[in-house]
Amino acid sequence: MTDPKVRLQPDQHRTRLLHEMIRIRRFEEKCAELYSTGKIRGFLHLYIGEEAVAVGALQALSPEDAVVATYREHGHALARGISMNALMAEMYGKHEGCSHGRGGSMHVFDAKTHFYGGNAIVGGGLPLAVGLALADAMQRRPHVTACFFGDGAVAEGEFHESMNLAALWKLPVLFLCENNLYAMGTRIERAQAQVDLRAKAQSYLVAAEAVDGMDVTAVEAATRRAAEGIRRGEGPKFVEYRTYRFRAHSMFDAELYRDKAEVEAWKVRDPITTFSATLKSGQATEVLVKAIEDAVAEEIAEAVAFAEAGTWEPVEHLLNDVYTPARDAHLNPAVGAK
Amino acid sequence: MTDPKVRLQPDQHRTRLLHEMIRIRRFEEKCAELYSTGKIRGFLHLYIGEEAVAVGALQALSPEDAVVATYREHGHALARGISMNALMAEMYGKHEGCSHGRGGSMHVFDAKTHFYGGNAIVGGGLPLAVGLALADAMQRRPHVTACFFGDGAVAEGEFHESMNLAALWKLPVLFLCENNLYAMGTRIERAQAQVDLRAKAQSYLVAAEAVDGMDVTAVEAATRRAAEGIRRGEGPKFVEYRTYRFRAHSMFDAELYRDKAEVEAWKVRDPITTFSATLKSGQATEVLVKAIEDAVAEEIAEAVAFAEAGTWEPVEHLLNDVYTPARDAHLNPAVGAK
Amino acid sequence: MITTTYRDAIRAAIREALTKDPRVFLMGEDVGRYGGSYAVSKGLLAEFGPDRIRDTPLSESTFVGAGIGAALGGMRPIVEVMTVNFSLLALDQIVNNAATIRHMSGGQFSIPLVIRMATGAGRQLAAQHAHSLEGWYAHIPGIRIVAPATVEDARGMLWTALEDPDPVLIFEHQTLYNMEGSLADNAGAVDLDKAAVRRPGKDVSLITYGGTLGKTLQAAEALARDGIDAEVIDLRTLRPLDMPTLAASVKKTRRVVIVDEGWRSGSLSAEISARLAESHFYDLDAPIARVCSAEVPIPYPKHLEDAAVPQPPAIIAAAREAMGRRG
Amino acid sequence: MITTTYRDAIRAAIREALTKDPRVFLMGEDVGRYGGSYAVSKGLLAEFGPDRIRDTPLSESTFVGAGIGAALGGMRPIVEVMTVNFSLLALDQIVNNAATIRHMSGGQFSIPLVIRMATGAGRQLAAQHAHSLEGWYAHIPGIRIVAPATVEDARGMLWTALEDPDPVLIFEHQTLYNMEGSLADNAGAVDLDKAAVRRPGKDVSLITYGGTLGKTLQAAEALARDGIDAEVIDLRTLRPLDMPTLAASVKKTRRVVIVDEGWRSGSLSAEISARLAESHFYDLDAPIARVCSAEVPIPYPKHLEDAAVPQPPAIIAAAREAMGRRG
Ligand SMILES: Cc1ncc(C[n+]2csc(CCOP(=O)(O)OP(=O)(O)O)c2C)c(N)n1
Ligand SMILES: Cc1ncc(C[n+]2csc(CCOP(=O)(O)OP(=O)(O)O)c2C)c(N)n1
Ligand SMILES: [Mg+2]
Ligand SMILES: [Mg+2]
């Protein structure tokens, strides 16, 4: 779902995947830079290293499908097609942001792309996804709700309750677990008695598959299989992506809990470099990557300019958007109105 | 753990089991009667039909072990050795009750027998049991914490979190699931995507066994196996008792959700009649049962008299037991004191 | 006019909503086959089927969160949390999602969700089954809190709540379900914005809601026999509070007693007292008095439960004291 | 005297407790290898080992409940819930078990449990990470609520909390961790019963706690330059409230402004206002004023977050108004 104007060789799906991953990578590198200059504040959770998951997985969705994400959702937002301008403006807290600046990095929302947030309560999005899928099922809509969550979220009671309810009611929920081995500083072995997360999904009779989360094509294939099964009416599916976070958990993390060596070992499997290596050979790839990098650099520069030019919501508006004013009645036509 | 004075043929374990089950059955029948006359109020959840579970399971515990129960805990309380007098007085709300009347039917507590309640929040006792077991483990005490809960509780997030934490930390928790097929009016098929509850326990790598909950000797054997495994340091165990509630969920339940035929079919497997049938033959059994019934009738009559003679806590004491007064400092010797 | 009960009035309201709007459905523990733990939804499963009358597993956090998601997805869910005591398990979903998503999304998404729950003490259900937390919930921005105290409001509040684009929590006091009252044959939706003067009076304002309205009206009758003409106000909606109606009463009576079944410290009565003292400091002839629950988990025995929650004698005494009557 | 930070003072208190009493242990998310999300427990894992510094899975309800169980089993757990925002997931365990078991058991069991959590806004963490619910928790009988606002209290409150036989919740405002202050070399346990007069004054009482103490003291200095001598009181313990100290101040100043970072409606400020108006109606020369957070989920942008929570100018304005100063 690349912004058309920067899309290269639209006919080439693999090129698009590479382009998407590079967009996310460079966008977040810019965010980290902007964080150090104070343009972006609050919590900033980078997705760097995990780009293949959002990019590959979201290929399986149609525009009408819903997405529920986490506080580490820049990658999901961009891959889903939220404009980089709107996302960057949100990072700044400007009124032109996709959440009009109220949410910031952890609360990216976008009605157009059915992107239901950015949730900063670990596991908090799982019940929402079950409900969105229930609404689709009750209205006989053929959509799927994709719910991203991490390995850490699997320990929360909401995971158990949501898997069971979705399975019990055969709801079209695509449970997408980003297993990057750590929940902040807690490695999965110290959080889960059973570290094979598929076994948990199967205990609700939910079909589960694990896939290399550093391989964008493998991610896409596995997620498409799961989504198609759901569209065939087979009920919820669980996909585990084995991936890794290259950066600190947030900008406050000293990373006392893992060795550099482990990080370096995973960096060798960088989803972008490994994938581009499979594309063409030598020169040609370099040319292609260069073209993508240039386009992305331009898009980012534009997004920063857009965010910089954005406006601060007047303080007088502080109490807006706590309750729905009459002017937004269209959001909820009077009950009974069809 | 029968009150000594009413114990018959103490050498005969099987007789004791029968006696315990009959005590519970008759005690609750009396409670139902007292409920209709208004002596007992609030919620009253009868265990009738499930007696073999509490009686058989608690044989596996030593006096120092801990018990965490549910709001359907009269059976657990009596089988654990809480005196019928104190229990009946609690049903009345008298100050002589085991919880001094503050708790009533759903909140039976008893420090002497390490009985940590009677919890009226479904699943609410599971985390407590994990903590009690953690305290034993950290203090290198060889005890087991037995935690009773129903099939309905398995759907709560607390089940998931507690199973995982107990398994992760290899804590001595005996998870005892009383699967009576219903959570109020909701049959297990309408609450659980996976109705074989052992599969859930196994998804945390917790060893699980299911046993006929209407057969007191099978219950005892399975529970002893589990408890011994825990004492050998194998970590938590899960035992599922397949049983059935003969009476309504509570005194307010019209039982619209199940047919009489199903109830009658289960009554054929009444844990008391089926077990007494295995004891001796014909006459001899009749004599034995008659003797037990007489002893129990006497014990119940005494318990009712005790409760009737009990006193109401003065209204001036209303605010007692919200915070720990100095007089109870011994409950919590100043930190550091050994 | 027809005579009906609080329970039947709520059922009639649910039935009407299900009939009028295909987006409405009822979800919760035992709302279907069991008929609702207070028999409110009895018969609805047979009438509307399992797609719209949904029995859920014991998973409060998730079925409440699923209600939020279903509302986002265009449905109009009525989620029944059996009692307020169990709603604590769903509090994260209510506070961090239902009350907050509209704001975090910059107004892109509203949550037209209705959550019903039984509340209160009075049936000897003891400490874990007798909370009165509706006033506590009223602290949360982004949600509306209502408490029907009459058969008419039991019948009429649900529809209005469903028309509200934002989450509405309806607290039904468990001692009221059997209460009888009469309804106009065409009784329907009622407003949720105004408090109601249930008994006009000129000497002292007795402000209450929900389960304590009846006791407060009894107290007012007793006071009348004693020559004290009490005005009784039923808040109806606990968030937002209808301050104009309260202000008008205070200006008239210059004396206030607030009756609230919540534990005294931090109860809604404190907020009302603080606001009236801020806005009408110079109109008050006596300190604002509060009659609340004692600060103790509710005990099981009847005499202690009765002593723990507001009763007419305490209301009468507080009103007499506000009037400067002694003894 | 030594100079230290609020964060280091808390760590010193935890270390002392672990050293003095073998029954004490620390449990929570990332308290071990990560060093605590606010670096409070940094180094403790290496010093005390994984048996006493326990990293838990993300399971708030269960590790809080396990803390309750461990307390019942004779331990003295310090449970860290990373922030108050996540504590809503554990609220059932706190309200229905920790606060209630002593009562339900007729006094047979006490729960000597300490729960620590970070609270408050001020770091642009947005709506789900900026709640100030400590005053809300103060509604619950059976627990004690404390809020250290100084380095001395950060150092001293923990030990006293551990000696309390009942559950104590300690709320650490997330903007205070880096605050520096000086401590006596032998600094140790402090009482938890009395509020503290942080600045004596005669004209108006500014009552606050936790994260807003600093802003209130700043306001008091500004007021002093304006000829208004404000007394600043730090509640320290939010439940139970030390009414005698507040009463003495009110008798002296006859004017009160309460500063509370909680959302205004139903905040602790309402309870304090209501109580003072009940007991000192005739001593007050002006309406009691409240400076609280706006009733909005906390927005991300700095200018809006600042506007949402109490700031010195609003405190100054409220105090001037209480003094009858205009403009
Ligand atoms: C309920 C809750 N508890 C704790 C936190 C603090 N926290 C934020 S992210 C995080 C780790 C989550 O790990 P995981 O689910 O694996 O996602 P990842 O960060 O690895 O993408 C924690 C503990 C939170 N936000 N919500
Ligand atoms: C958290 C919570 N939700 C709902 C209830 C109401 N309730 C009481 S018992 C019960 C059914 C529990 O079923 P199960 O766990 O199978 O135990 P059983 O009653 O069959 O022994 C329900 C829904 C409750 N007490 N607690
Ligand atoms: Mg992770
Ligand atoms: Mg059951």
Side-chain angles (χ1 to χ4, degrees):
Chain A
M1 302 208 150
T2 320
D3 186 328
K5 81 182 151 340
V6 298
R7 185 180 299 151
L8 297 177
Q9 314 172 33
D11 56 320
Q12 297 203 4
H13 181 63
R14 289 163 63 79
T15 303
R16 210 155 88 22
L17 295 178
L18 178 63
H19 188 171
E20 287 300 328
M21 291 194 288
I22 292 175
R23 275 180 86 218
I24 295 168
R25 178 73 55 93
R26 303 292 170 245
F27 173 84
E28 288 201 317
E29 287 167 348
K30 171 58 74 174
C31 287
E33 192 185 311
L34 291 164
Y35 196 91
S36 52
T37 64
K39 295 284 188 179
I40 297 173
R41 284 268 134 257
F43 277 148
L44 178 67
H45 303 93
L46 301 179
Y47 196 62
I48 291 175
E50 307 184 38
E51 296 89 346
V53 177
V55 172
L58 290 172
Q59 303 306 314
L61 298 196
S62 70
E64 289 303 303
D65 293 332
V67 178
V68 174
T70 68
Y71 48 83
R72 192 183 301 286
E73 84 279 34
H74 312 137
H76 311 113
L78 289 172
R80 181 57 176 169
I82 296 177
S83 89
M84 194 184 282
N85 284 356
L87 184 62
M88 186 62 86
E90 190 60 37
M91 304 298 295
Y92 273 63
K94 296 292 183 82
H95 193 45
E96 292 72 15
C98 54
S99 301
H100 297 315
R102 294 270 168 159
S105 167
M106 299 198 291
H107 304 301
V108 171
F109 284 82
D110 182 54
K112 285 184 304 306
T113 56
H114 305 280
F115 198 87
Y116 292 99
N119 202 306
I121 301 299
V122 171
L126 287 154
L128 295 183
V130 172
L132 284 158
L134 175 61
D136 285 331
M138 291 185 77
Q139 292 167 94
R140 312 279 179 280
R141 293 185 303 226
H143 312 149
V144 163
T145 295
C147 181
F148 290 94
F149 55 96
D151 49 289
V154 171
E156 293 281 6
E158 281 63 25
F159 169 81
H160 172 70
E161 297 183 355
S162 295
M163 290 293 290
N164 182 52
L165 192 59
L168 184 70
W169 290 355
K170 301 217 173 337
L171 300 176
V173 185
L174 194 45
F175 290 98
L176 305 178
C177 182
E178 299 178 312
N179 179 1
N180 59 12
L181 298 179
Y182 289 88
M184 277 182 72
T186 303
R187 202 178 155 88
I188 187 166
E189 292 80 3
R190 290 191 291 265
Q192 300 290 345
Q194 163 60 280
V195 296
D196 183 344
L197 303 180
R198 290 169 304 180
K200 299 194 174 292
Q202 285 153 358
S203 75
Y204 308 95
L205 300 182
V206 171
E209 181 175 357
V211 62
D212 178 359
M214 308 308 269
D215 177 344
V216 67
T217 49
V219 167
E220 175 175 357
T223 314
R224 282 192 185 279
R225 272 192 298 279
E228 281 153 19
I230 292 173
R231 295 189 206 279
R232 277 194 305 271
E234 295 169 11
K237 304 279 178 176
F238 178 92
V239 185
E240 174 190 350
Y241 306 107
R242 306 232 165 118
T243 182
Y244 198 80
R245 161 167 64 71
F246 291 175
R247 298 291 189 96
H249 166 74
S250 74
M251 308 310 273
F252 300 99
D253 170 11
E255 292 187 81
L256 307 170
Y257 51 84
R258 62 182 189 181
D259 337 329
K260 296 259 164 306
E262 180 182 279
V263 182
E264 292 315 313
W266 275 91
K267 281 187 176 167
V268 173
R269 301 179 49 199
D270 186 312
I272 295 175
T273 52
T274 53
F275 183 65
S276 60
T278 68
L279 276 181
K280 296 208 183 65
S281 48
Q283 274 245 319
T285 309
E286 272 175 39
V287 174
L288 172 65
V289 171
K290 171 84 172 58
I292 293 175
E293 291 282 7
D294 293 347
V296 166
E298 191 186 308
E299 187 184 11
I300 289 173
E302 188 191 315
V304 171
F306 178 82
E308 288 284 346
T311 59
W312 297 115
E313 198 173 4
V315 171
E316 301 63 47
H317 292 184
L318 175 63
L319 299 184
N320 286 7
D321 298 330
V322 180
Y323 294 96
T324 307
R327 72 167 154 78
D328 288 355
H330 64 277
L331 281 174
N332 297 286
V335 178
K338 280 289 143 313
Chain B
M1 298 204 155
T2 318
D3 189 326
K5 78 179 157 334
V6 300
R7 184 179 299 153
L8 298 177
Q9 313 174 35
D11 56 318
Q12 295 202 7
H13 181 63
R14 292 164 61 78
T15 303
R16 212 155 84 26
L17 295 179
L18 178 62
H19 187 170
E20 288 300 329
M21 292 194 288
I22 292 174
R23 275 180 85 220
I24 296 169
R25 175 73 55 94
R26 303 291 171 247
F27 173 84
E28 288 202 317
E29 287 167 346
K30 173 57 76 174
C31 287
E33 190 186 311
L34 290 163
Y35 196 91
S36 52
T37 63
K39 293 286 188 179
I40 297 175
R41 285 265 133 260
F43 277 149
L44 178 67
H45 303 94
L46 300 179
Y47 195 63
I48 291 176
E50 307 184 37
E51 297 89 347
V53 177
V55 172
L58 289 171
Q59 303 305 316
L61 298 196
S62 71
E64 288 304 303
D65 293 331
V67 178
V68 174
T70 68
Y71 47 83
R72 193 182 301 285
E73 85 279 34
H74 312 139
H76 310 111
L78 289 173
R80 181 55 177 171
I82 296 178
S83 87
M84 194 183 282
N85 284 357
L87 184 62
M88 186 61 86
E90 189 60 37
M91 305 297 294
Y92 272 65
K94 295 292 181 84
H95 193 47
E96 292 72 15
C98 53
S99 301
H100 297 316
R102 294 270 170 161
S105 167
M106 301 199 289
H107 303 301
V108 171
F109 284 82
D110 182 56
K112 287 184 304 304
T113 56
H114 305 281
F115 199 88
Y116 291 99
N119 203 305
I121 301 299
V122 171
L126 287 153
L128 296 183
V130 172
L132 284 159
L134 175 62
D136 284 331
M138 291 184 76
Q139 294 168 93
R140 311 279 178 276
R141 293 186 303 226
H143 312 149
V144 164
T145 295
C147 182
F148 290 94
F149 55 95
D151 49 288
V154 171
E156 292 280 7
E158 281 63 26
F159 169 81
H160 172 70
E161 297 183 354
S162 296
M163 290 292 291
N164 182 53
L165 192 59
L168 184 69
W169 289 355
K170 302 220 176 328
L171 300 175
V173 184
L174 193 45
F175 290 99
L176 306 179
C177 183
E178 299 178 311
N179 180 2
N180 60 10
L181 298 178
Y182 290 88
M184 279 181 70
T186 303
R187 201 178 158 88
I188 187 165
E189 293 80 5
R190 290 190 291 264
Q192 301 289 344
Q194 164 61 279
V195 297
D196 183 344
L197 302 179
R198 289 170 303 178
K200 299 193 173 293
Q202 285 154 357
S203 75
Y204 309 94
L205 301 181
V206 171
E209 181 174 357
V211 62
D212 178 357
M214 310 307 271
D215 176 345
V216 68
T217 50
V219 167
E220 175 175 358
T223 313
R224 282 191 184 280
R225 273 192 297 278
E228 281 154 17
I230 293 174
R231 296 189 206 278
R232 278 194 304 272
E234 296 170 11
K237 305 278 179 178
F238 177 92
V239 184
E240 174 190 350
Y241 306 106
R242 307 235 164 115
T243 183
Y244 199 79
R245 159 167 66 69
F246 291 175
R247 298 291 190 99
H249 166 73
S250 74
M251 308 309 274
F252 299 99
D253 172 9
E255 291 189 81
L256 307 170
Y257 50 83
R258 62 183 189 182
D259 358 317
K260 299 258 164 303
E262 179 182 282
V263 181
E264 292 316 313
W266 276 91
K267 282 185 176 169
V268 172
R269 300 178 50 198
D270 185 313
I272 295 175
T273 53
T274 53
F275 183 64
S276 60
T278 69
L279 277 180
K280 296 212 182 62
S281 50
Q283 275 243 322
T285 310
E286 270 175 38
V287 173
L288 172 65
V289 171
K290 172 84 173 57
I292 292 175
E293 292 282 7
D294 293 347
V296 166
E298 190 186 309
E299 187 184 11
I300 290 173
E302 186 191 317
V304 171
F306 179 82
E308 287 286 343
T311 59
W312 298 114
E313 198 173 3
V315 170
E316 301 63 48
H317 292 186
L318 176 63
L319 299 183
N320 285 8
D321 298 328
V322 180
Y323 295 96
T324 307
R327 69 166 156 78
D328 286 357
H330 65 276
L331 280 173
N332 296 284
V335 179
K338 281 290 138 316
Chain C
M1 296 294 267
I2 55 158
T3 302
T4 184
T5 63
Y6 186 88
R7 170 186 293 107
D8 293 343
I10 296 169
R11 185 186 306 115
I14 296 172
R15 180 183 282 113
E16 178 190 25
L18 288 161
T19 308
K20 261 198 198 168
D21 189 335
R23 298 171 303 174
V24 172
F25 68 101
L26 176 67
M27 164 166 71
E29 290 159 8
D30 291 303
V31 296
R33 286 155 189 84
Y34 190 94
S37 69
Y38 294 91
V40 166
S41 50
K42 195 164 167 181
L44 297 182
L45 174 64
E47 187 174 349
F48 296 96
D51 194 48
R52 300 184 70 197
I53 305 295
R54 296 184 163 260
D55 280 323
T56 65
L58 275 131
S59 304
E60 286 77 6
S61 187
T62 285
F63 69 74
V64 167
I68 299 167
L72 282 168
M75 300 298 287
R76 292 293 181 277
I78 302 171
V79 174
E80 175 176 311
V81 176
M82 201 176 281
T83 78
V84 67
N85 311 287
F86 319 140
S87 73
L88 298 180
L89 289 162
L91 203 69
D92 169 67
Q93 287 295 322
I94 294 171
V95 174
N96 283 318
N97 284 337
T100 312
I101 281 175
R102 177 172 170 81
H103 184 260
M104 295 189 299
S105 68
Q108 288 178 87
F109 298 107
S110 293
I111 315 278
L113 168 70
V114 171
I115 302 176
R116 297 173 40 241
M117 45 184 124
T119 188
R123 294 177 57 222
Q124 288 189 250
L125 301 184
Q128 291 180 331
H129 275 56
H131 296 307
S132 296
L133 296 175
E134 52 280 7
W136 202 48
Y137 270 100
H139 178 57
I140 308 301
I143 57 179
R144 176 187 284 269
I145 308 292
V146 304
T150 65
V151 168
E152 192 183 9
D153 279 346
R155 177 65 181 84
M157 282 181 160
L158 179 70
W159 184 255
T160 317
L162 283 164
E163 285 184 306
D164 192 312
D166 301 312
V168 179
L169 276 60
I170 303 180
F171 288 87
E172 302 162 1
H173 198 283
Q174 56 169 333
T175 59
L176 299 181
Y177 287 113
N178 294 329
M179 176 177 70
E180 292 209 332
S182 56
L183 275 182
D185 308 316
N186 65 348
V190 296
D191 88 277
L192 293 183
D193 300 322
K194 304 227 122 303
V197 176
R198 299 295 183 193
R199 182 188 192 285
K202 59 178 192 353
D203 297 334
V204 55
S205 303
L206 307 183
I207 301 171
T208 190
Y209 66 89
T212 43
L213 174 61
K215 293 170 177 178
T216 305
L217 286 167
Q218 285 172 38
E221 293 316 314
L223 287 164
R225 289 191 290 278
D226 194 14
I228 296 174
D229 182 21
E231 176 149 295
V232 175
I233 296 180
D234 172 6
L235 292 170
R236 303 183 63 244
T237 289
L238 311 190
R239 182 182 184 95
L241 287 167
D242 170 17
M243 294 312 294
T245 298
L246 301 187
S249 182
V250 174
K251 284 220 196 64
K252 175 171 60 174
T253 66
R254 309 179 66 86
R255 294 175 171 80
V256 178
V257 175
I258 306 163
V259 182
D260 183 344
E261 194 177 301
W263 287 306
R264 183 184 185 92
S265 292
S267 61
L268 186 66
S269 68
E271 178 62 27
I272 295 168
S273 171
R275 287 199 199 179
L276 290 176
E278 283 157 8
S279 54
H280 295 79
F281 187 69
Y282 302 101
D283 297 327
L284 291 167
D285 288 345
I288 295 172
R290 297 186 287 160
V291 179
C292 303
S293 282
E295 310 217 13
V296 55
I298 304 299
Y300 162 64
K302 182 163 197 328
H303 67 296
L304 294 180
E305 180 178 49
D306 288 347
V309 302
Q311 302 295 351
I315 303 169
I316 293 165
R320 289 176 50 83
E321 165 131 29
M323 298 299 299
R325 305 272 192 98
R326 289 279 163 269
Chain D
M1 297 293 268
I2 56 158
T3 303
T4 185
T5 62
Y6 187 88
R7 170 184 294 106
D8 294 343
I10 297 168
R11 185 187 305 114
I14 297 172
R15 180 184 282 112
E16 179 190 27
L18 287 161
T19 308
K20 265 199 197 168
D21 188 334
R23 298 170 304 174
V24 172
F25 67 101
L26 177 67
M27 165 165 71
E29 290 160 7
D30 290 302
V31 296
R33 287 154 187 87
Y34 190 95
S37 69
Y38 294 91
V40 166
S41 50
K42 198 166 167 180
L44 297 181
L45 175 63
E47 188 174 349
F48 296 95
D51 194 48
R52 300 185 69 196
I53 306 296
R54 297 186 161 258
D55 281 324
T56 65
L58 274 133
S59 305
E60 285 77 7
S61 186
T62 284
F63 69 73
V64 168
I68 299 167
L72 282 168
M75 301 298 287
R76 291 294 182 276
I78 302 171
V79 174
E80 175 177 309
V81 176
M82 202 177 278
T83 78
V84 67
N85 311 285
F86 318 140
S87 73
L88 298 181
L89 289 161
L91 202 69
D92 169 65
Q93 287 294 323
I94 294 171
V95 173
N96 283 319
N97 283 339
T100 312
I101 282 176
R102 177 172 169 80
H103 184 262
M104 295 189 299
S105 67
Q108 289 178 86
F109 298 108
S110 293
I111 315 278
L113 168 69
V114 171
I115 303 176
R116 296 174 41 241
M117 46 185 124
T119 187
R123 295 177 59 223
Q124 288 189 249
L125 300 184
Q128 290 179 331
H129 275 54
H131 295 306
S132 296
L133 297 176
E134 53 280 7
W136 202 49
Y137 270 100
H139 178 56
I140 309 301
I143 58 179
R144 177 187 283 268
I145 308 291
V146 304
T150 65
V151 168
E152 194 184 7
D153 279 347
R155 176 67 180 83
M157 282 182 162
L158 179 70
W159 184 255
T160 317
L162 283 164
E163 284 183 307
D164 192 312
D166 301 313
V168 179
L169 275 60
I170 303 179
F171 288 87
E172 303 162 1
H173 199 284
Q174 57 169 331
T175 60
L176 299 181
Y177 288 112
N178 294 327
M179 176 177 69
E180 293 211 329
S182 55
L183 274 182
D185 309 316
N186 64 346
V190 296
D191 87 279
L192 293 182
D193 300 323
K194 304 228 118 302
V197 176
R198 299 295 183 193
R199 182 189 192 283
K202 61 179 192 347
D203 297 334
V204 56
S205 303
L206 308 182
I207 300 171
T208 190
Y209 67 89
T212 43
L213 174 61
K215 294 170 176 180
T216 305
L217 286 166
Q218 284 172 41
E221 292 316 314
L223 287 164
R225 290 191 289 278
D226 194 11
I228 297 174
D229 183 20
E231 176 149 294
V232 176
I233 295 181
D234 172 5
L235 292 171
R236 300 183 64 246
T237 290
L238 312 190
R239 181 181 185 95
L241 288 166
D242 171 17
M243 294 312 295
T245 298
L246 301 188
S249 184
V250 173
K251 283 219 195 66
K252 175 169 62 172
T253 64
R254 310 180 67 85
R255 294 177 172 78
V256 178
V257 174
I258 306 163
V259 183
D260 183 345
E261 195 178 300
W263 287 304
R264 183 185 186 90
S265 292
S267 61
L268 186 65
S269 69
E271 178 63 25
I272 295 168
S273 171
R275 287 199 201 178
L276 290 175
E278 283 157 7
S279 55
H280 295 76
F281 186 70
Y282 302 101
D283 296 327
L284 291 166
D285 289 346
I288 294 172
R290 297 187 287 161
V291 179
C292 303
S293 284
E295 310 216 12
V296 57
I298 303 299
Y300 163 63
K302 181 161 198 332
H303 68 297
L304 294 181
E305 180 179 47
D306 288 346
V309 303
Q311 302 296 349
I315 302 169
I316 293 165
R320 288 177 50 83
E321 168 131 26
M323 298 298 298
R325 305 272 192 102
R326 288 279 163 273

